[in-house]
Amino acid sequence: MSGRFDWLERELDNLRSRSLYRQFVGVEHAADGHMIRNGRSLLNLSSNDYLGLAGGQTPEQFKKNSVSDPRLTGATASRLVVGSDEFVLQFERDFAAFKKQEACVLFGSGYMANVGMLSALIGRDDVVFSDRLNHASIVDGLILSRADVKRYAHRDLDQLEKQLKNAAPGKRKFIVTDTVFSMDGTIAPMHDLVTLKERYSALLIVDEAHSGGIYGERGEGLAAALDLSQAVDVHMGTFSKAYGAYGAYVAGDRIMVDWLINRARSLIYTTALPPMLVRQVAANWQTAVAEGWRREQLLANSARFRKQLAVAGLQLNGSESQIVPVIVGDNETALRMAKVLDDRGIAAVAIRPPTVPDGTARLRFSLMATQTEQQLDTAATTIIETAKELGIV
């Protein structure tokens, strides 16, 4: 080694000393509610494959589609340079109609969608009100917007209203929120947010990444489930979680989408999603819409699992969804618990700062529709026993 990065080694040592060091772990297979790691089958309670759709095409189908139409494997350039695949354009129209919006545009990922959309719609003369537990992609998009950002305590409507009331007159105002919060499993108070946005003439932007495909009669998302689709001004969501594929969308008024096509840098200055991937997104979306049992089973699994852990005295941080955190406090204990659970056949990830606030390290359990009651009951028992052994409860 040349020593040119000695300073990075010191910083990494500092992370190790605080149990904050991270590294990749190889996975051989992850489907059907399980994963194979180091040759061992583990119950997968750490993925976002909520509806169990991530299996997608078999390798044989993937190979056949790739060979039969080489254009499908790569878009080759930005959509504004090389043009858009007709299937992609039609899918955007179909998905916009599904969301009951005028238009929709695809992005490469949820991070790219939030960073591009927020920095394009919001400017330095605007003021934004953002839930303190919003996803990092929202935080980064707001930083890039250079707007005046006011963060309110998680779901604290009184603080939000005070901030809205005290905003400088003449400022354009935006409220931005996740609908289901990714590290806590809590749900945004959507009706109250709509009331406040109307009272103070703000625009409401929602991130449906962890609620799309799950809530609503056909999985349209939480806003639709609460009959608030038209009250929300900008809808963002992903295809990488319940829909089991990759990519993201922003949907809303046609004029807003046209503006993003002209100004969202993470859309304009990057190669488009591979058309074959969008075909997989469309297939998974259609499956999710048609197979409502997946949503029903996921919600039933989640309620049963949460109740078992809560009755045992574990701190779930108010979870109301398929995301169930168990708060353990310090980073080392979270890592120890994850390791013990791994040894006992459960894959669960230890979440530590800066992803969550200091002192709130946790095990984040995320459930799937394809996991059985027996599997989850056994997992809950194992989690509770492990927590007791480690002095967490």
Side-chain angles (χ1 to χ4, degrees):
M1 296 176 62
S2 66
R4 65 172 65 99
F5 291 123
D6 285 348
W7 62 279
L8 289 181
E9 187 59 37
R10 290 192 295 273
E11 293 296 331
L12 288 172
D13 285 342
N14 179 263
L15 292 179
R16 293 184 185 99
S17 71
R18 294 184 290 142
S19 298
L20 291 175
Y21 181 73
R22 293 161 170 86
Q23 56 188 336
F24 292 130
V25 177
V27 176
E28 299 156 41
H29 173 75
D32 304 323
H34 287 79
M35 68 166 63
I36 306 296
R37 196 159 66 195
N38 297 324
R40 298 170 56 240
S41 177
L42 305 174
L43 184 67
N44 187 358
L45 295 183
S46 58
S47 85
N48 296 323
D49 183 21
Y50 302 131
L51 298 182
L53 294 174
Q57 299 182 100
T58 65
E60 292 74 20
Q61 291 170 325
F62 189 89
K63 181 178 179 181
K64 179 181 177 182
N65 286 339
S66 301
V67 172
S68 63
D69 190 345
R71 296 173 303 166
L72 298 178
T73 59
T76 75
S78 166
R79 295 172 70 179
L80 292 177
V81 173
V82 76
S84 286
D85 182 89
E86 287 292 342
F87 182 91
V88 175
L89 291 171
Q90 184 59 52
F91 174 72
E92 287 175 331
R93 291 190 287 268
D94 292 343
F95 200 78
F98 172 71
K99 294 287 291 183
K100 294 184 172 59
Q101 302 300 309
E102 291 180 356
C104 168
V105 62
L106 301 189
F107 282 78
S109 69
Y111 188 94
M112 293 173 72
N114 272 334
V115 167
M117 175 264 293
L118 292 169
S119 60
L121 291 180
I122 303 170
R124 65 171 70 244
D125 295 324
D126 301 327
V127 58
V128 185
F129 306 90
S130 177
D131 190 293
R132 190 168 289 276
L133 295 189
N134 276 341
H135 190 265
S137 58
I138 294 176
V139 174
D140 290 355
L142 295 179
I143 290 172
L144 288 174
S145 76
R146 292 182 271 187
D148 180 13
V149 178
K150 310 290 186 184
R151 298 174 73 195
Y152 58 92
H154 183 45
R155 303 192 297 180
D156 188 332
L157 297 167
D158 291 335
Q159 184 180 18
L160 172 58
E161 182 160 22
K162 289 176 184 176
Q163 292 174 343
L164 285 162
K165 192 177 296 185
N166 293 330
K171 290 271 190 179
R172 189 162 41 226
K173 297 182 286 292
F174 295 84
I175 301 170
V176 185
T177 186
D178 285 326
T179 51
V180 172
F181 291 84
S182 61
M183 293 299 129
D184 292 78
T186 48
I187 294 175
M190 291 294 296
H191 283 291
D192 294 318
L193 291 173
V194 167
T195 296
L196 289 177
K197 83 107 180 180
E198 292 174 348
R199 183 178 299 164
Y200 293 96
S201 301
L203 295 174
L204 178 59
I205 300 174
V206 301
D207 180 335
E208 297 258 29
H210 292 273
S211 57
I214 298 169
Y215 296 93
E217 185 178 352
R218 299 187 299 157
E220 300 95 330
L222 187 65
L226 299 174
D227 197 24
L228 295 174
S229 290
Q230 302 311 310
V232 170
D233 299 288
V234 182
H235 300 254
M236 174 271 171
T238 64
F239 300 113
S240 55
K241 298 173 180 65
Y243 293 117
Y246 196 68
Y249 67 87
V250 176
D253 293 353
R254 176 78 256 176
I255 191 170
M256 183 273 295
V257 171
D258 286 345
W259 179 254
L260 295 183
I261 292 170
N262 282 273
R263 283 295 184 267
R265 295 172 69 85
S266 61
L267 171 68
I268 298 167
Y269 298 110
T270 191
T271 301
L273 284 167
M276 183 168 61
L277 178 57
V278 180
R279 283 160 170 75
Q280 186 65 61
V281 167
N284 287 9
W285 165 52
Q286 290 165 1
T287 299
V289 169
E291 298 182 358
W293 68 264
R294 293 178 184 268
R295 287 185 291 282
E296 295 170 7
Q297 188 62 50
L298 176 64
L299 295 175
N301 283 350
S302 304
R304 183 184 180 94
F305 187 76
R306 289 196 310 270
K307 182 177 180 180
Q308 289 173 306
L309 299 189
V311 167
L314 293 174
Q315 183 184 343
L316 309 186
N317 235 30
S319 170
E320 307 164 82
S321 69
Q322 74 281 0
I323 299 166
V324 186
V326 170
I327 309 301
V328 302
D330 67 275
N331 303 329
E332 185 177 353
T333 301
L335 290 173
R336 286 176 59 205
M337 186 170 179
K339 175 62 169 62
V340 173
L341 289 177
D342 185 285
D343 292 340
R344 295 174 177 176
I346 296 173
V349 62
I351 303 294
R352 296 155 286 156
T355 307
V356 294
D358 288 333
T360 69
R362 67 200 63 186
L363 274 290
R364 176 190 185 270
F365 301 102
S366 48
L367 309 188
M368 296 174 60
T370 50
Q371 291 164 337
T372 67
E373 284 187 359
Q374 182 178 355
Q375 289 172 329
L376 293 174
D377 287 350
T378 301
T381 299
T382 302
I383 293 163
I384 292 165
E385 291 174 351
T386 302
K388 289 179 178 178
E389 290 172 13
L390 296 177
I392 295 167
V393 64

